[in-house]
Amino acid sequence: MKTVSICFVCLGNICRSPTAEGVMRQLVDEAKLKERILIDSAGTGDWHIGQPPDRRARQAAGQRGYKLDELRGRQIELADFERFDLLIAMDDKNVAALRAVCPPAQRDKIRLLLEFVPERDDRWNGAREVVDPYFGGESGFEQVLDQCEAACRGLIAALRPQLLA
Ligand code: 4NP
């Protein structure tokens, strides 16, 4: 059985990447691909290791039926580049931080989340990055959720044919 393993990556692993993980888990479950698509998240920074996601991220996600409470922050490690098929970063700084430590042979595994938003569903005018909501207001967390939902739908659609081939 073909599988694909995905690690979502942001800076702190308490706002954007746990949100992407929670959304992806739910959508993959609904798509009946739970055994095929393996999901995790990590941060490039080390400030929030062992911590649950930010209260605002948990609350905003919870209102849409995604549960982030069990997740705990962790930092990306060298073995992750081997373990995962895709490392999907939230912004260009995360990509740069990953590339700085990634073995050259694994570099093609590093992608940006918004690459997976289907063109017809692009409400953000071709934005490349999921903006860090940490220092902003509640609306930033809603945008993160909207972008994660759109991109994760696109990602599942992109993966489905290769998983079921
Ligand atoms: P995240 O947001 O990268 O989406 O988890 C942040 C969380 C914490 C910090 C920065 C961004 N921080 O500076 O502690």
Side-chain angles (χ1 to χ4, degrees):
M1 189 172 77
K2 288 183 192 164
T3 62
V4 62
S5 55
I6 300 166
C7 186
F8 295 104
V9 181
C10 64
L11 179 59
N13 194 212
I14 55 167
C15 297
R16 290 166 292 174
S17 59
T19 298
E21 179 177 349
V23 168
M24 189 67 174
R25 283 191 186 283
Q26 176 77 23
L27 297 182
V28 162
D29 200 13
E30 287 168 16
K32 308 226 178 314
L33 291 170
K34 215 165 140 179
E35 276 77 46
R36 306 262 188 165
I37 302 180
L38 313 175
I39 307 156
D40 196 3
S41 67
T44 58
D46 63 0
W47 310 285
H48 300 287
I49 293 172
Q51 293 179 11
D54 186 283
R55 181 189 51 77
R56 296 163 296 173
R58 281 184 279 140
Q59 193 162 349
Q63 279 168 1
R64 298 194 194 190
Y66 307 113
K67 216 170 168 304
L68 310 186
D69 305 290
E70 321 280 285
L71 303 177
R72 292 294 177 270
R74 75 174 186 92
Q75 188 175 27
I76 199 87
E77 54 190 35
L78 200 53
D80 291 324
F81 295 103
E82 189 68 47
R83 252 187 337 128
F84 292 99
D85 298 308
L86 286 170
L87 295 115
I88 302 185
M90 299 297 130
D91 64 32
D92 286 325
K93 276 192 193 149
N94 309 146
V95 169
L98 289 172
R99 285 179 68 91
V101 290
C102 181
Q106 322 275 18
R107 279 211 181 133
D108 290 347
K109 295 180 174 183
I110 302 171
R111 308 284 293 272
L112 275 169
L113 183 68
L114 295 188
E115 281 177 44
F116 297 97
V117 173
E119 247 169 65
R120 63 175 187 287
D121 184 24
D122 186 6
R123 288 161 265 168
W124 306 283
N125 300 315
R128 289 173 57 79
E129 307 185 292
V130 181
V131 174
D132 187 349
Y134 188 67
F135 295 107
E138 313 284 331
S139 68
F141 289 85
E142 295 300 330
Q143 174 157 314
V144 169
L145 275 163
D146 291 339
Q147 292 178 322
C148 287
E149 288 177 340
C152 288
R153 284 202 187 94
L155 178 56
I156 291 169
L159 293 173
R160 194 192 287 275
Q162 73 188 63
L163 287 172
L164 302 178

